[in-house]
Amino acid sequence: NAGVMQNPRHLVRRRGQEARLRCSPMKGHSHVYWYRQLPEEGLKFMVYLQKENIIDESGMPKERFSAEFPKEGPSILRIQQVVRGDSAAYFCASSPGFGTGNTIYFGEGSWLTVV
Amino acid sequence: DAKTTQPPSMDCAEGRAANLPCNHSTISGNEYVYWYRQIHSQGPQYIIHGLKNNETNEMASLIITEDRKSSTLILPHATLRDTAVYYCIVRVNYGGSQGNLIFGKGTKLSVKP
């Protein structure tokens, strides 16, 4: 049973370019979460999605950041016009969304470097 | 903000039990206690969770006090590979915005030879 898959693992972008990070949840999971970890800092919640629906985006920056989880395909975290401060590790997680377990499992992360 | 309090760091000798405490005095009746760990430069790894009964799995044991205001994660025989930051988190275990994981600063466990 494959875990949460994230790609790319490492991404380098120049200032002003766009970054797209992809996340495929575990099989049978319909809920996806995105977290950001700045260098030497803790994990910060960004957004929580079900297929075709945003449940909670209270942690998303108001500008340049967007996320989607379409009916088919992976969840996408999109960062437009990247700046150096966007350099961070971005972790995706997934859960079934129901049941006594409903445990959230994380991927290995995507490391974004803005130069 | 995180609803838990953990010591910032702990040391443990290799082969000994590591006991990591967590205070969650404002836990609600429908909130579970979850433990994760993050080894340097890796994604957070789920360890264990519980509601009010003690739990054990292949990785660890979780002891929750009767009043549910605190808990202890026990790694029975710590190895060098258990060196990580350990996070104690309370959350409801169903969907919806309350089902998020809100990470605090955790406890940095250093296992020493």
Side-chain angles (χ1 to χ4, degrees), chain B residues 44-79:
Chain B
Q45 179 186 22
Y46 165 76
I47 301 173
I48 199 168
H49 76 281
L51 182 63
K52 53 185 177 181
N53 297 321
N54 298 337
E55 302 287 345
T56 295
N57 63 19
E58 65 279 4
M59 288 183 68
S61 295
L62 174 60
I63 308 297
I64 303 174
T65 58
E66 193 168 343
D67 63 7
R68 302 208 324 124
K69 293 186 177 182
S70 65
S71 60
T72 301
L73 178 75
I74 301 171
L75 307 178
H77 305 287
T79 71

Side-chain angles (χ1 to χ4, degrees), chain A residues 13 19 25 39 54 71 83 91-92 99 112:
Chain A
R13 285 287 178 264
I54 296 175
K71 187 176 180 181
V83 301
F91 292 99
C92 173
L112 172 65

Side-chain angles (χ1 to χ4, degrees), chain A residues 65-104:
Chain A
F65 285 73
S66 63
E68 63 176 6
F69 188 17
K71 187 176 180 181
E72 301 290 338
S75 175
I76 306 286
L77 179 67
R78 181 183 179 204
I79 311 171
Q80 296 178 288
Q81 299 174 325
V82 296
V83 301
R84 287 222 171 104
D86 297 332
S87 295
Y90 292 82
F91 292 99
C92 173
S94 73
S95 73
F98 59 90
T100 56
N102 195 29
T103 300
I104 297 175

Side-chain angles (χ1 to χ4, degrees), chain B residues 11-13 17 21 50 80 82 84 94 98 109 111:
Chain B
D11 290 342
C12 178
L80 299 178
D82 292 321
Y94 49 79
Q98 292 177 297
L109 176 68
V111 181

Side-chain angles (χ1 to χ4, degrees), chain A residues 35 37 48 56 100-102 104, chain B residues 34 36 38 41 93 96 100-101:
Chain A
Y35 289 77
Q37 189 168 35
Y48 169 19
D56 183 354
T100 56
N102 195 29
I104 297 175
Chain B
Y34 281 78
Y36 286 78
Q38 187 176 26
S41 297
N93 76 334
N100 285 339
L101 291 169

